[in-house]
Amino acid sequence: RLNSSHLVISYAVFCLKKNRPISIIAFSFLVYTFFLMIRRPPRSTLFPYTTLFRSMQQAQFENRLHNQEYWARYFDTLVENRFNTFQVLFAYDMDGYMCPAYPYFLDVEQYPDVAVTGLSKEQQQRNQADLKRLIRMAHQRGLNVTIGFWCHYYRYSGSSKAIDQTPVKGKVWGVTEENLIPYTKVAMAKFLQTFPEIDNMMFLMHGESGLKAEEMKAFWSAVFPVLKQYGPQITYELRAKGVPDDLIHIGLDLGLKVRVNTKYWEEHV
């Protein structure tokens, strides 16, 4: 009987009937198999098991972020079922919520006018503290944490119509086409300094992230050096859709740990 569900050790039990002789070859095979099964299988590094936490529904996202008991149960379940990576994706299909995510967790002194409308300093500090706790709880259980930035500039609504240029409660105000690149550079630097525990980062690169095709090269050419300076140990995952080869080479030439990936199977389940 093979049993590999135990959290600490996997084991094998072989039941042999009496009065039945066993050959040396068969016995050797059983011993060999036993020692193969006595340890947990190694984690996959090529196709890691992954689970997602997306900011798709604002109320649910915020409720989950602040719920320590929920994460204890959830992470324990992931470990029991041999997951090894956990992803937090900001601004996925959220019509401007967490687009970009930085001001929900920190202020950038150089850009005091960039802020989340209606978000108090106390709420911002709670968001930051609870995201740190989430990362810490995941690491305590051996889970790697990926932070995904899927929106860099809120230019269009979910219906692909240009947004109204008025402040909306719960959404970022103050980012413009003129300050997008310089703001992102200093905000990303501060985010990496505030959350140095992050293992990986994932970026949506193309038009769905709010960037126009003609803006992509200038934007990433400016942001990549910031990633190299403040997060050289982090692996950066670039979503393959719409990413030209020259952008990949810009990152590689800087010495960034770059990996190009695509959507995971059954990601919407």
Side-chain angles (χ1 to χ4, degrees):
R1 183 174 78 251
L2 303 183
N3 188 328
S4 61
S5 62
H6 197 279
L7 291 180
V8 178
I9 190 169
S10 300
Y11 57 89
V13 177
F14 301 97
C15 300
L16 304 178
K17 292 184 178 181
K18 294 182 178 179
N19 301 323
R20 176 175 291 183
I22 182 170
S23 69
I24 296 299
I25 295 177
F27 180 79
S28 300
F29 172 78
L30 294 180
V31 172
Y32 175 76
T33 305
F34 174 81
F35 283 103
L36 282 180
M37 295 297 297
I38 201 169
R39 62 182 180 83
R40 284 179 67 87
R43 292 182 176 186
S44 168
T45 56
L46 182 59
F47 298 108
Y49 296 105
T50 306
T51 186
L52 310 177
F53 176 43
R54 291 172 167 171
S55 59
M56 294 180 69
Q57 208 288 328
Q58 181 175 352
Q60 183 186 51
F61 180 87
E62 293 175 352
N63 178 61
R64 291 285 190 263
L65 177 63
H66 303 311
N67 190 335
Q68 182 175 0
E69 293 182 0
Y70 170 83
W71 289 116
R73 296 193 306 270
Y74 189 73
F75 287 149
D76 286 345
T77 300
L78 296 184
V79 172
E80 183 177 358
N81 289 278
R82 302 182 186 277
F83 284 81
N84 62 25
T85 303
F86 178 74
Q87 297 179 344
V88 182
L89 304 185
F90 295 135
Y92 176 81
D93 197 22
M94 274 304 297
D95 201 18
Y97 176 58
M98 288 208 171
C99 184
Y102 314 108
Y104 292 86
F105 300 95
L106 51 86
D107 290 325
V108 175
E109 293 75 12
Q110 298 93 321
Y111 293 88
D113 294 332
V114 177
V116 179
T117 304
L119 184 72
S120 68
K121 185 65 176 179
E122 292 74 19
Q123 290 172 317
Q124 184 191 63
Q125 291 175 342
R126 186 187 182 194
N127 289 343
Q128 182 183 126
D130 286 350
L131 181 57
K132 279 182 165 290
R133 183 184 64 196
L134 183 152
I135 297 171
R136 184 172 61 253
M137 292 177 68
H139 284 169
Q140 288 170 349
R141 291 160 174 82
L143 292 164
N144 293 329
V145 177
T146 297
I147 300 294
F149 289 91
W150 280 30
C151 187
H152 312 294
Y153 180 46
Y154 184 42
R155 179 175 272 126
Y156 301 104
S157 69
S159 59
S160 298
K161 295 180 180 179
I163 61 172
D164 295 329
Q165 296 300 313
T166 55
V168 178
K169 185 177 180 179
K171 297 182 181 180
V172 177
W173 178 253
V175 178
T176 66
E177 291 188 5
E178 289 71 28
N179 69 16
L180 171 62
I181 292 178
Y183 168 76
T184 302
K185 288 174 60 179
V186 293
M188 176 60 75
K190 189 169 183 179
F191 192 90
L192 289 168
Q193 292 173 302
T194 303
F195 300 98
E197 309 91 348
I198 295 170
D199 300 294
N200 309 300
M201 271 192 171
M202 179 189 294
F203 296 112
L204 203 64
M205 308 284 286
H206 63 291
E208 292 178 15
S209 70
L211 299 176
K212 297 178 181 178
E214 59 271 22
E215 296 171 334
M216 289 175 58
K217 187 171 184 178
F219 181 89
W220 292 111
S221 295
V223 171
F224 280 166
V226 175
L227 304 181
K228 177 62 177 178
Q229 179 177 354
Y230 293 96
Q233 78 284 0
I234 293 175
T235 297
Y236 296 98
E237 302 180 13
L238 313 181
R239 295 305 296 266
K241 183 178 179 180
V243 180
D245 290 346
D246 59 345
L247 282 187
I248 299 171
H249 288 295
I250 290 173
L252 292 174
D253 290 343
L254 285 172
L256 285 178
K257 299 177 181 178
V258 172
R259 183 170 68 184
V260 180
N261 67 12
T262 186
K263 291 185 177 181
Y264 293 108
W265 181 63
E266 290 186 328
E267 68 163 352
H268 293 294
V269 173

